[in-house]
Amino acid sequence: MDVSNRQVAGRLTFMGQLLEIAGADPFKIRAYYRAARQVERLETPVSGMSRDELVRINGIGKNLAEKISGITGTGTFHELEELRDSIPSTLIELLAIEGVGPKTVHKLWKKLDVMSVEDLEKAAQEHRIQALQGFGRKKEDLILRSVAMHHRQSGRMTRIEAEEIIRAVLRVIPEGKATVAGSFRRGVSTIGDIDIVTTAPLPGLNPLLRGVADAMMSEGSRRTSCRIHGRRVDIRFAAPEYFGSMLLYLTGSKEFNIRLREVAISKGCRLNEYGIEERSGSGRRHTFKDEEEIFEFLGMEYIPPELREARGEIQHSLDHDLPVLVEAGDIRGDLHVHSTWSDGRDTLREIAKSGEEHGYEYILISDHSSSLGIAHGLDEKRIEMQMHEIEVINRESGCQVIAGIEVDIAADGSPTLPDKILADLDIVIASVHSGFRQEKDIMTRRIITAIENKHVDIIGHPTGRLLGRRLPYDLDMPRVIRAAAEHGTALEINAFPYRLDLDDNHIIQAREQGVPLSIGTDAHQRDDLHFIRYGVMLARRGWCTPGDLLNTRTLSSLLEWCT
Ligand code: DGT
Ligand code: CA
Ligand code: CA
Ligand code: ZN
């Protein structure tokens, strides 16, 4: 088996967590966590090592070496599976709730008999948690909010997961006969279920779908629903002559559809997924091959799917003054990329090369500062070395590497590197990577302090959310946005598919106030540069025109902006 060090470390950590839930000997627990850290840090893969070599690693004795061999051989080891079987699985699931670690699970289990997410929610609602020693009101509130998020998001998937399922569906539908609709087409950051419109007759398609689906939920000639990789997929048939109205209907959003029907009614028409019927006089019916024809029929400007949220776009469309949204082709470079100088996988040279392949004019390299617990953070000396390497690369690269950094924002809002160093770098991204649980007012002031710092150009992933995994920091966003506008500091649209941070509503607010916005993929390897498309989509959902984004500037105009 080809098992990476990170996977081995993950298994060892999981064992530590299980032991902690079970209330095992603290020494034993710590030994697993320590071994996990050692393995994670190691440059050479442990999967190729003999037991003797493993034992030579600091913190790994004969016993752990055996476990590691088990993991590299079979993906797991006996004691782990045995322990896992002895603990109720609903208890282990509690680890997915933010703010609930293994020690907490153990305590809640032993003291309050909490065995599941439902038990946990009930205990928090009844304020039984805050009464426990070492818990308190704040912790209980956090648990309640985390459980709420868990309920909201455990059902939703990331765009990456959705894309994989869509690929599976499109493998069985004849080419050019299917279009994805629903929230996916609107560019929403998380997807509930997948909606597809097809012009291929369903009776012929259903048997093929059965081949890729986990289960068929309902099969018909107008619509079919099935489950693929555990997710719901709705497929609707549309004959080519009414494909436009079906696609429009299934793209939504629901609120948008309702508002659009009202517009139709105000013009004496009835709109549905099969077309438009004139209500007055003749009662003529019209069908539409594509969406453009429908908007035209209603005297409206075409509304891109990303705007269809009933946030004012319908009126703008009626007035023919919709914003001209940014497109992928407007982007001249990526403004947040990590390299081997910190925790990235690829070298500067490899990244510059990939940048050329993307047709980029520039890439901002923003490796982590050393303050972070992350391996290989940059200190003053290594920043100088990196800048030197950048100069050498830029002499021969079509895609210019911009010397930047992603500096940590300390608890008091100051960047964790001296001004002198920050002043030397072209662009400084400042981000919060620790102390996520500060109180709202303190966290807000922390970020505003960073915004006010004259060396800070961009605030990275401003709300810190990780989709389905971590809540945004408790932040007063209107205040943050006002401060950014006042100081001309950019807010990032982080395109990493698990972040997508800022979200669309905040982007709308920020751009209305003239806050500069930057799209960064937060790539940790070359392949991640493709994430830029998620950022562009999100910017479009935030009504961004090319002028709202730093990434559409030429290199010289960008560097001029940040001086
Ligand atoms: P999701 O799946 O939760 O991410 O969000 P959507 O927007 O994909 O919603 P979904 O899958 O329930 O429905 C797909 C589209 O169908 C939706 O965007 C608009 C349309 N639709 C669904 N229910 C209604 C409704 O009750 N009224 C109207 N007018 N349209 C609806
Ligand atoms: Ca959907
Ligand atoms: Ca659906
Ligand atoms: Zn970061």
Side-chain angles (χ1 to χ4, degrees), residues 156 182-184 186 190-193 195 234 249-254 257-258 261:
R156 301 187 68 80
S183 51
F184 186 88
R186 300 199 310 279
T190 61
I191 312 299
D193 67 12
D195 306 281
D234 289 335
Y249 173 78
L250 276 181
T251 297
S253 66
K254 190 174 159 185
N257 285 352
I258 292 169
R261 282 179 185 195

Short mmCIF file of all heavy atoms in Angstrom, two decimals, residues 156 182-184 186 190-193 195 234 249-254 257-258 261, ligand 1:
data_model
loop_
_atom_site.label_atom_id
_atom_site.label_comp_id
_atom_site.label_asym_id
_atom_site.label_seq_id
_atom_site.Cartn_x
_atom_site.Cartn_y
_atom_site.Cartn_z
N ARG A 156 -24.82 19.14 3.26
CA ARG A 156 -24.40 19.82 2.04
C ARG A 156 -22.99 19.41 1.63
O ARG A 156 -22.19 19.02 2.46
CB ARG A 156 -24.50 21.33 2.23
CG ARG A 156 -25.92 21.77 2.57
CD ARG A 156 -26.08 23.27 2.59
NE ARG A 156 -25.95 23.90 1.29
CZ ARG A 156 -26.94 23.93 0.39
NH1 ARG A 156 -28.10 23.38 0.66
NH2 ARG A 156 -26.75 24.52 -0.77
N GLY A 182 -29.66 24.14 -10.84
CA GLY A 182 -29.67 24.24 -9.38
C GLY A 182 -28.57 25.13 -8.81
O GLY A 182 -27.97 25.95 -9.51
N SER A 183 -28.32 24.93 -7.52
CA SER A 183 -27.35 25.76 -6.81
C SER A 183 -25.95 25.62 -7.40
O SER A 183 -25.15 26.54 -7.36
CB SER A 183 -27.32 25.38 -5.33
OG SER A 183 -27.17 23.98 -5.19
N PHE A 184 -25.67 24.44 -7.97
CA PHE A 184 -24.35 24.25 -8.56
C PHE A 184 -24.12 25.26 -9.68
O PHE A 184 -23.09 25.92 -9.76
CB PHE A 184 -24.20 22.83 -9.11
CG PHE A 184 -22.80 22.55 -9.59
CD1 PHE A 184 -21.84 22.08 -8.71
CD2 PHE A 184 -22.44 22.79 -10.92
CE1 PHE A 184 -20.54 21.84 -9.14
CE2 PHE A 184 -21.15 22.56 -11.36
CZ PHE A 184 -20.19 22.08 -10.46
N ARG A 186 -25.59 28.08 -10.10
CA ARG A 186 -25.54 29.45 -9.57
C ARG A 186 -24.23 29.75 -8.86
O ARG A 186 -24.00 30.87 -8.42
CB ARG A 186 -26.72 29.70 -8.60
CG ARG A 186 -28.09 29.53 -9.23
CD ARG A 186 -29.18 30.21 -8.41
NE ARG A 186 -29.15 29.87 -7.00
CZ ARG A 186 -29.65 28.76 -6.46
NH1 ARG A 186 -30.24 27.86 -7.26
NH2 ARG A 186 -29.58 28.53 -5.17
N THR A 190 -21.76 25.72 -1.24
CA THR A 190 -22.07 24.34 -0.87
C THR A 190 -23.37 23.93 -1.55
O THR A 190 -24.26 24.76 -1.75
CB THR A 190 -22.24 24.15 0.65
OG1 THR A 190 -23.32 24.97 1.10
CG2 THR A 190 -20.98 24.53 1.41
N ILE A 191 -23.46 22.67 -1.88
CA ILE A 191 -24.55 22.18 -2.73
C ILE A 191 -25.39 21.17 -1.95
O ILE A 191 -24.85 20.24 -1.36
CB ILE A 191 -23.97 21.46 -3.97
CG1 ILE A 191 -22.88 22.31 -4.65
CG2 ILE A 191 -25.05 21.08 -4.96
CD1 ILE A 191 -23.33 23.65 -5.16
N GLY A 192 -26.70 21.37 -1.95
CA GLY A 192 -27.59 20.43 -1.27
C GLY A 192 -27.77 19.16 -2.07
O GLY A 192 -27.37 18.09 -1.65
N ASP A 193 -28.37 19.30 -3.25
CA ASP A 193 -28.42 18.15 -4.15
C ASP A 193 -28.13 18.64 -5.56
O ASP A 193 -28.09 19.84 -5.82
CB ASP A 193 -29.76 17.40 -4.05
CG ASP A 193 -30.93 18.22 -4.56
OD1 ASP A 193 -30.72 19.27 -5.21
OD2 ASP A 193 -32.08 17.81 -4.32
N ASP A 195 -28.90 18.98 -9.54
CA ASP A 195 -30.02 19.02 -10.48
C ASP A 195 -29.47 19.05 -11.90
O ASP A 195 -28.59 19.86 -12.20
CB ASP A 195 -30.86 20.27 -10.23
CG ASP A 195 -31.31 20.36 -8.78
OD1 ASP A 195 -32.26 19.67 -8.42
OD2 ASP A 195 -30.66 21.09 -8.00
N ASP A 234 -31.07 14.81 -8.98
CA ASP A 234 -32.37 14.93 -9.65
C ASP A 234 -32.14 15.19 -11.12
O ASP A 234 -31.43 16.12 -11.47
CB ASP A 234 -33.17 16.11 -9.08
CG ASP A 234 -33.67 15.85 -7.66
OD1 ASP A 234 -33.83 14.67 -7.30
OD2 ASP A 234 -33.89 16.83 -6.93
N TYR A 249 -36.02 27.33 -14.93
CA TYR A 249 -36.76 26.94 -13.72
C TYR A 249 -35.87 26.19 -12.74
O TYR A 249 -35.83 26.48 -11.55
CB TYR A 249 -37.98 26.08 -14.10
CG TYR A 249 -38.68 25.52 -12.89
CD1 TYR A 249 -39.53 26.31 -12.12
CD2 TYR A 249 -38.46 24.20 -12.48
CE1 TYR A 249 -40.16 25.81 -10.99
CE2 TYR A 249 -39.08 23.69 -11.35
CZ TYR A 249 -39.93 24.49 -10.61
OH TYR A 249 -40.53 24.00 -9.49
N LEU A 250 -35.14 25.20 -13.25
CA LEU A 250 -34.36 24.35 -12.35
C LEU A 250 -33.08 25.00 -11.84
O LEU A 250 -32.45 24.49 -10.93
CB LEU A 250 -34.03 23.03 -13.05
CG LEU A 250 -35.12 21.97 -12.98
CD1 LEU A 250 -34.67 20.70 -13.68
CD2 LEU A 250 -35.50 21.64 -11.53
N THR A 251 -32.71 26.10 -12.45
CA THR A 251 -31.53 26.80 -11.96
C THR A 251 -31.88 27.62 -10.73
O THR A 251 -31.10 27.75 -9.80
CB THR A 251 -30.92 27.68 -13.06
OG1 THR A 251 -30.50 26.83 -14.14
CG2 THR A 251 -29.72 28.47 -12.55
N GLY A 252 -33.11 28.14 -10.69
CA GLY A 252 -33.54 28.90 -9.52
C GLY A 252 -32.78 30.22 -9.41
O GLY A 252 -32.32 30.75 -10.40
N SER A 253 -32.60 30.72 -8.18
CA SER A 253 -33.10 30.13 -6.94
C SER A 253 -34.63 30.17 -6.89
O SER A 253 -35.26 30.82 -7.71
CB SER A 253 -32.53 30.88 -5.73
OG SER A 253 -33.04 32.20 -5.73
N LYS A 254 -35.14 29.55 -5.88
CA LYS A 254 -36.58 29.52 -5.70
C LYS A 254 -37.13 30.95 -5.62
O LYS A 254 -38.12 31.28 -6.27
CB LYS A 254 -36.87 28.74 -4.41
CG LYS A 254 -38.31 28.43 -4.20
CD LYS A 254 -38.46 27.53 -2.97
CE LYS A 254 -39.88 27.64 -2.45
NZ LYS A 254 -40.06 26.88 -1.21
N ASN A 257 -37.10 32.55 -8.96
CA ASN A 257 -38.19 32.06 -9.80
C ASN A 257 -39.51 32.75 -9.46
O ASN A 257 -40.28 33.12 -10.35
CB ASN A 257 -38.38 30.55 -9.60
CG ASN A 257 -37.29 29.74 -10.29
OD1 ASN A 257 -36.49 30.30 -11.04
ND2 ASN A 257 -37.25 28.45 -10.03
N ILE A 258 -39.75 32.89 -8.17
CA ILE A 258 -41.00 33.51 -7.74
C ILE A 258 -41.08 34.95 -8.24
O ILE A 258 -42.08 35.38 -8.81
CB ILE A 258 -41.13 33.42 -6.20
CG1 ILE A 258 -41.31 31.96 -5.79
CG2 ILE A 258 -42.28 34.29 -5.69
CD1 ILE A 258 -41.17 31.69 -4.29
N ARG A 261 -41.63 35.11 -12.01
CA ARG A 261 -43.03 34.84 -12.38
C ARG A 261 -43.89 36.08 -12.18
O ARG A 261 -44.81 36.34 -12.95
CB ARG A 261 -43.59 33.70 -11.54
CG ARG A 261 -43.10 32.38 -12.04
CD ARG A 261 -43.61 31.25 -11.20
NE ARG A 261 -42.99 30.04 -11.69
CZ ARG A 261 -43.39 28.82 -11.40
NH1 ARG A 261 -44.43 28.65 -10.61
NH2 ARG A 261 -42.79 27.77 -11.89
P1 DGT B 1 -29.67 23.14 -2.95
O1 DGT B 1 -29.98 21.89 -3.70
O2 DGT B 1 -30.22 23.17 -1.57
O3 DGT B 1 -28.23 23.48 -2.95
O4 DGT B 1 -30.40 24.38 -3.68
P2 DGT B 1 -31.13 24.43 -5.11
O5 DGT B 1 -31.30 25.87 -5.43
O6 DGT B 1 -30.42 23.58 -6.10
O7 DGT B 1 -32.58 23.87 -4.77
P3 DGT B 1 -33.35 22.54 -5.18
O8 DGT B 1 -32.44 21.44 -5.58
O9 DGT B 1 -34.31 22.27 -4.07
O10 DGT B 1 -34.24 22.99 -6.43
C1 DGT B 1 -33.66 23.24 -7.69
C2 DGT B 1 -34.34 24.41 -8.32
O11 DGT B 1 -35.72 24.14 -8.56
C3 DGT B 1 -34.37 25.63 -7.43
O12 DGT B 1 -33.17 26.35 -7.49
C4 DGT B 1 -35.53 26.38 -8.00
C5 DGT B 1 -36.49 25.31 -8.39
N1 DGT B 1 -37.49 25.13 -7.32
C6 DGT B 1 -37.47 24.21 -6.35
N2 DGT B 1 -38.56 24.32 -5.56
C7 DGT B 1 -39.27 25.38 -6.03
C8 DGT B 1 -40.49 26.01 -5.64
O13 DGT B 1 -41.13 25.62 -4.67
N3 DGT B 1 -40.90 27.06 -6.38
C9 DGT B 1 -40.21 27.51 -7.46
N4 DGT B 1 -40.65 28.55 -8.13
N5 DGT B 1 -39.06 26.95 -7.85
C10 DGT B 1 -38.59 25.89 -7.15
#
